[in-house]
Each structure stands twice: as C-alpha cells, then as structure tokens.
Amino acid sequence: MSPATSAVIAAASDLQQGIGPGFAVAFTPDECRVAHMRKITAAHLRLWRVPEPTAENVILAVSELVTNGIQHGHGAVGLKAIYSDGVLRVEVTDGNPSPAQLAKADDDDLSGRGLFLVAVLAHNWGVSDDGHTTWCAFHLSSGRP
C-alpha cells in the first residue's frame, strides 16, 4: 500500500481485548480503494481459513459497504472485521450521520442494490445508532477462522 492510502492496520489486540482475530483499516474515500479493501479482506479470510463460499459472500459485502461509504460518506472511511464467538462482523464507518437504508431499484437501474445484497448474503446487518457505521455479520460454520 502506498502512503497516500492513509491506511492503518491494527492488530486484533488493539481492536478490543479478549476478541479473536480482526483488522481495521482507515483510508481516503477513493473508488480505487474498493479493490484494495477486497484484497485485504480476502487475505485475512484465507489466513483465518474461512470456507470459500462464505469468504466470497463476505468479500462481496465488504465491496458493497465500502462503495457506499465512499459514495455517501463524509471524510475518511474505515473498514473493520472482527471474529468472535463464531461470528465474523464487518463494519464500515463513513462519517455520514444519515443511516444507510435499503432502496428499491428498478430493473434498469445501474445501482441501488448494494444493501439488498448485503441483507441477502449476511446473517444480519444494521446501522449504528449514530448512523456513521453500517455493519453485517456472518456465522462461520467451521471452527475458528
């Protein structure tokens, strides 16, 4: 990663004490960062031995949430993934106090389906009380990541 990425990767112990593996990245809101965040997430999922079908779903959810953060956020965007108690939680913080909402996209619309995909792929999803963070959770079927 280049210095322009403004990325900070934190060890799981820095994220929260007593939680399993995880990572956190902060970056400038640029469309090229979506691919970078997918790669970072994919590398961690391989390291954690997340089964391929679940890993693909997590990576797609990361792509959609990061894209939303870049397009609708205010300032730097943050991506965090934490594994705890059989659940992988992904959070994207974008500084926008307006909470993300499911939208109804028409058949010929080119966008507007991101949160719908996240809702379908993840076990659960939501928005923080302050509206700044959109999250989703995946249950992992095999052991620890």
Side-chain angles (χ1 to χ4, degrees), residues 79-126:
L79 166 65
K80 180 167 43 171
I82 300 172
Y83 174 75
S84 180
D85 297 326
V87 176
L88 178 62
R89 182 178 169 106
V90 174
E91 300 177 359
V92 173
T93 302
D94 62 18
N96 186 345
S98 298
Q101 297 179 358
L102 283 173
K104 183 174 180 349
D106 291 329
D107 291 343
D108 55 348
D109 287 345
L110 297 177
S111 63
R113 295 175 185 83
L115 281 180
F116 176 77
L117 286 172
V118 172
V120 169
L121 296 172
H123 177 261
N124 199 3
W125 78 278

Side-chain angles (χ1 to χ4, degrees), residues 14-125:
D14 294 337
L15 294 171
Q16 282 185 306
Q17 293 292 352
I19 300 266
F23 68 90
V25 184
F27 53 95
T28 55
D30 186 321
E31 291 293 329
C32 71
R33 302 296 177 233
V34 177
H36 295 151
M37 296 309 110
R38 283 195 307 258
K39 288 178 184 177
I40 289 169
T41 302
H44 281 86
L45 296 176
R46 282 191 303 274
L47 177 69
W48 300 337
R49 296 185 196 108
V50 174
E52 191 63 32
T54 302
E56 289 172 4
N57 290 343
V58 171
I59 293 166
L60 180 54
V62 163
S63 182
E64 296 299 335
L65 293 179
V66 167
T67 298
N68 284 351
I70 290 169
Q71 291 178 347
H72 305 292
H74 302 297
V77 178
L79 166 65
K80 180 167 43 171
I82 300 172
Y83 174 75
S84 180
D85 297 326
V87 176
L88 178 62
R89 182 178 169 106
V90 174
E91 300 177 359
V92 173
T93 302
D94 62 18
N96 186 345
S98 298
Q101 297 179 358
L102 283 173
K104 183 174 180 349
D106 291 329
D107 291 343
D108 55 348
D109 287 345
L110 297 177
S111 63
R113 295 175 185 83
L115 281 180
F116 176 77
L117 286 172
V118 172
V120 169
L121 296 172
H123 177 261
N124 199 3
W125 78 278

